[in-house]
Amino acid sequence: MLQIQGISKQYKTGDFVQRALDNVSLNLRDSEFVAILGPSGSGKTTLLNIIGGLDHYDSGDLVINGISTKQYKSRDWDSYRNHTIGFVFQSYNLIPHQTILSNVELALTISGVSHSERRERARKALEQVGLGEHVNKKPNQLSGGQMQRVAIARALVNDPDIVLADEPTGALDSDTSVQIMDLLKEVAKDRLVVMVTHNPELAYQYATRIVELKDGVIRSDSEPFEPAQNETTTAPVHKTMG
Ligand code: ADP
Ligand code: MG
């Protein structure tokens, strides 16, 4: 369970202060498909980046399975990002001169595993997203939809508990978008998927929960989650991650 507790975040540019998130609280289940909707500039990417440990909150707490992150050091955040989170971006972020097999393999954060086993895991992840026959291609030899599948394979190769996707269909046509949504829905069967999207139709069709943000504040939540009392009565503790 992931608990976002009263998180605020502001960005300062010169004298200008932008409040990106304003006291946001949200509890996320271990397995659900959450779509975050909202106009441009409403704080969606900020929220996703804070959930994924790519950006840090100013105040509040991000509680991961009962563990507070208030005292996290950078190596705790590294470990969290590497082992618990998989990211999917609108622009794919693939390494152009590497094959897609290498792209996925390079994302493997587990150590003490032989080269052949790493290859095998990367290959399996690519098969899972329907690209088993394309593993030796480079990104520029693929369509946008296929590149996004590679990005999803890369996000899944470490078997993360949480997959975060920021406008994953933002650069895709509608048919291809539907294929990517089908894939993410499948991924969300046994883990938490949080997706930011501009497309309410796709969100309502595929996600199990819709959260709307505006001006850094949550305006609606279709499936609010209040954890059982015994899960919340103990104060979050600090523990260093593996
Ligand atoms: P969204 O993803 O919903 O479009 P963002 O989370 O990217 O919104 O941004 C929320 C607000 O914070 C916007 O006003 C944006 O300009 C501002 N912002 C985001 N990142 C930065 C940054 N690194 N520096 C300054 N302002 C930022
Ligand atoms: Mg954004």
Side-chain angles (χ1 to χ4, degrees):
M1 178 177 47
L2 203 65
Q3 295 170 278
I4 296 144
Q5 299 182 336
I7 279 186
S8 295
K9 171 76 182 179
Q10 55 185 34
Y11 294 105
K12 293 190 191 79
T13 334
D15 291 341
F16 183 70
V17 176
Q18 176 70 47
R19 189 176 283 259
L21 293 176
D22 186 4
N23 196 21
V24 167
S25 295
L26 187 65
N27 296 320
L28 300 172
R29 298 170 179 87
D30 290 339
S31 173
E32 61 179 340
F33 188 0
V34 183
I36 300 184
L37 286 172
S40 184
S42 55
K44 305 184 295 299
T45 295
T46 304
L47 179 59
L48 211 64
N49 287 347
I50 285 175
I51 291 175
L54 285 181
D55 202 351
H56 298 313
Y57 50 84
D58 298 331
S59 58
D61 197 1
L62 176 70
V63 180
I64 305 162
N65 294 326
I67 312 288
S68 165
T69 58
K70 274 185 192 170
Q71 294 171 54
Y72 261 30
K73 304 278 188 299
S74 55
R75 63 152 200 262
D76 298 310
W77 286 115
D78 287 345
S79 168
Y80 171 63
R81 270 195 310 272
N82 289 336
H83 301 294
T84 308
I85 302 285
F87 280 101
V88 178
F89 303 93
Q90 175 178 342
S91 49
Y92 324 125
N93 290 14
L94 302 176
I95 304 167
H97 60 272
Q98 299 269 10
T99 65
I100 64 172
L101 188 60
S102 298
N103 264 277
V104 174
E105 194 185 328
L106 284 166
L108 260 176
T109 52
I110 45 160
S111 49
V113 179
S114 71
H115 181 71
S116 59
E117 199 179 326
R118 300 175 77 86
R119 286 254 121 154
E120 205 38 50
R121 280 187 66 159
R123 194 182 294 274
K124 281 222 176 72
L126 283 163
E127 277 166 12
Q128 226 184 318
V129 301
L131 290 175
E133 291 171 359
H134 301 269
V135 296
N136 292 317
K137 288 189 177 172
K138 296 199 173 147
N140 67 1
Q141 296 171 311
L142 299 175
S143 68
Q146 288 173 325
M147 283 194 274
Q148 197 55 296
R149 283 170 187 275
V150 177
I152 292 170
R154 182 184 54 189
L156 292 176
V157 72
N158 292 306
D159 197 21
D161 291 337
I162 302 169
V163 170
L164 303 176
D166 196 351
E167 313 235 14
T169 64
L172 302 175
D173 63 65
S174 51
D175 286 351
T176 313
S177 296
V178 163
Q179 291 167 18
I180 294 297
M181 295 301 289
D182 278 325
L183 190 53
L184 287 174
K185 189 176 168 185
E186 191 67 31
V187 168
K189 277 191 180 149
D190 53 4
R191 67 192 93 218
L192 169 64
V193 175
V194 185
M195 174 188 71
V196 163
T197 180
H198 255 115
N199 189 327
E201 276 162 41
L202 282 182
Y204 281 98
Q205 199 180 337
Y206 284 92
T208 57
R209 180 176 179 185
I210 312 274
V211 173
E212 282 182 295
L213 265 184
K214 197 173 173 227
D215 298 331
V217 175
I218 292 181
R219 297 304 161 117
S220 70
D221 182 350
S222 70
E223 296 288 331
F225 175 41
E226 285 309 323
Q229 277 295 314
N230 58 358
E231 290 184 81
T232 50
T233 42
T234 45
V237 292
H238 171 69
K239 215 157 61 178
T240 305
M241 291 195 92

